[in-house]
Amino acid sequence: MTDSRVFPALPDASWARVLCVVAHPDDMEYGTSAAVATWTARGVDVTYLLLTKGEAGMQRPPEEVGPLRAGEQHQACASVGVHDLRILDHADGMLMPTLELRRDIARVIRQVRPDAVVTANFDVEAYGGLNQADHRAAGLATVDAVRDADNTWVFRELADDEGLPKWHTSALLVAGHPVATHAVAVDEQAVAASVASLEHHQAYLADLPGHPKPADFIPQILAQGGAAAGTGHAVLFRVYDLGGFASSTDDDA
């Protein structure tokens, strides 16, 4: 449950680049993609970084599922204006917030140089039950990697061997957090794009018995966010100000 106050609008007008880091294909599609569609429609470059291929998420052999889910994710990205999709090869279902994972995320942060990084709720309890292990590991590793990417002396090989100097991200956004702080108002077109983004995970959803149709619940989620933001529809985030939140620039930290 979110608190009952009206959430202020996210001060994102100056943002040029956003990096979204999640564990699996489809993790961005449960409403958060409406904010992505809103950003890309405004000209913001959004990159998706998936830490696994989601190969353990269906009742089929992983070697078949990985490419299938990657294809569905490419279609989902296209529906919300995302043209840069990166999928790492960490094992689905066995993510751990290791130094290796942190380095892999920090590398992409330094490559993309985002104004903000988005990840998903990594609490033990989330979404009405116990959060999935990969979600928890992905969020924790992302929190640390944002700092690692801005530290000269952590993962020095990224600068020395790969030519990737440190990068300061102004804000970390956590989607699906029970204690939100800010809202991104989204219009009907963005709502429709968000629904479409989840619908593109057709094979995956068909493998989940009893899963509701995206059109039956995504608009409801976004309408609840809108009610909390004093608008029709909205995506809510818990925002952590990492310095320069409301006035991020394209300069090195």
Side-chain angles (χ1 to χ4, degrees), residues 1 13 15 41-42 74 87-88 108 128 164 174 200 211 213 222:
M1 297 287 293
W15 292 358
R42 204 177 67 213
H74 276 287
I87 304 177
L88 301 185
V108 177
L164 296 171
V174 181
H200 282 302
H211 192 286
K213 294 181 180 179
L222 298 172

Side-chain angles (χ1 to χ4, degrees), residues 228-250:
T231 188
H233 296 85
V235 180
L236 303 183
F237 294 99
R238 182 165 185 85
V239 179
Y240 294 91
D241 184 354
L242 306 180
F245 169 37
S247 59
S248 53
T249 70
D250 195 38

Side-chain angles (χ1 to χ4, degrees), residues 153-240:
W153 312 116
V154 175
F155 305 133
R156 295 171 67 173
E157 65 273 19
L158 294 179
D160 295 345
D161 300 337
E162 301 182 35
L164 296 171
K166 70 176 185 175
W167 176 256
H168 175 73
T169 299
S170 297
L172 174 68
L173 280 58
V174 181
H177 196 284
V179 185
T181 59
H182 292 78
V184 175
V186 299
D187 60 19
E188 294 288 348
Q189 186 174 356
V191 173
S194 184
V195 170
S197 72
L198 185 54
E199 288 176 338
H200 282 302
H201 295 277
Q202 183 176 5
Y204 174 68
L205 296 181
D207 215 49
L208 301 176
H211 192 286
K213 294 181 180 179
D216 290 342
F217 73 97
I218 295 295
Q220 288 185 334
I221 292 173
L222 298 172
Q224 290 170 359
T231 188
H233 296 85
V235 180
L236 303 183
F237 294 99
R238 182 165 185 85
V239 179
Y240 294 91

Side-chain angles (χ1 to χ4, degrees), residues 1-213:
M1 297 287 293
T2 56
D3 30 10
S4 58
R5 62 197 174 92
V6 174
F7 298 104
L10 185 72
D12 57 2
S14 66
W15 292 358
R17 294 178 299 277
V18 171
L19 172 65
C20 301
V21 184
V22 292
H24 313 110
D26 89 278
D27 282 354
M28 284 296 297
E29 270 69 77
Y30 286 81
T32 310
S33 57
V36 173
T38 300
W39 289 326
T40 60
R42 204 177 67 213
V44 178
D45 289 328
V46 179
T47 296
Y48 278 14
L49 175 63
L50 278 54
L51 304 181
T52 80
K53 298 175 182 176
E55 71 275 6
M58 296 174 64
Q59 300 305 310
R60 305 189 194 184
E63 58 271 19
E64 175 185 343
V65 172
L68 172 63
R69 298 200 68 189
E72 292 188 334
Q73 185 62 63
H74 276 287
Q75 294 178 52
C77 286
S79 71
V80 293
V82 172
H83 305 294
D84 186 4
L85 169 62
R86 309 182 188 199
I87 304 177
L88 301 185
D89 200 25
H90 293 274
D92 183 22
M94 293 182 279
L95 270 187
M96 295 290 289
T98 61
L99 287 173
E100 179 187 8
L101 184 61
R102 284 167 50 185
R103 181 177 61 244
D104 287 348
I105 299 170
R107 174 184 292 110
V108 177
I109 292 172
R110 292 189 181 196
Q111 291 171 340
V112 173
R113 297 159 63 91
D115 299 294
V117 169
V118 176
T119 193
N121 189 336
F122 48 91
D123 291 344
V124 173
E125 295 184 44
Y127 314 115
L130 294 175
N131 204 355
Q132 200 264 354
D134 284 355
H135 298 164
R136 305 196 311 266
L140 287 173
T142 300
V143 169
D144 292 334
V146 168
R147 289 174 170 165
D148 297 336
D150 194 28
N151 190 318
T152 302
W153 312 116
V154 175
F155 305 133
R156 295 171 67 173
E157 65 273 19
L158 294 179
D160 295 345
D161 300 337
E162 301 182 35
L164 296 171
K166 70 176 185 175
W167 176 256
H168 175 73
T169 299
S170 297
L172 174 68
L173 280 58
V174 181
H177 196 284
V179 185
T181 59
H182 292 78
V184 175
V186 299
D187 60 19
E188 294 288 348
Q189 186 174 356
V191 173
S194 184
V195 170
S197 72
L198 185 54
E199 288 176 338
H200 282 302
H201 295 277
Q202 183 176 5
Y204 174 68
L205 296 181
D207 215 49
L208 301 176
H211 192 286
K213 294 181 180 179

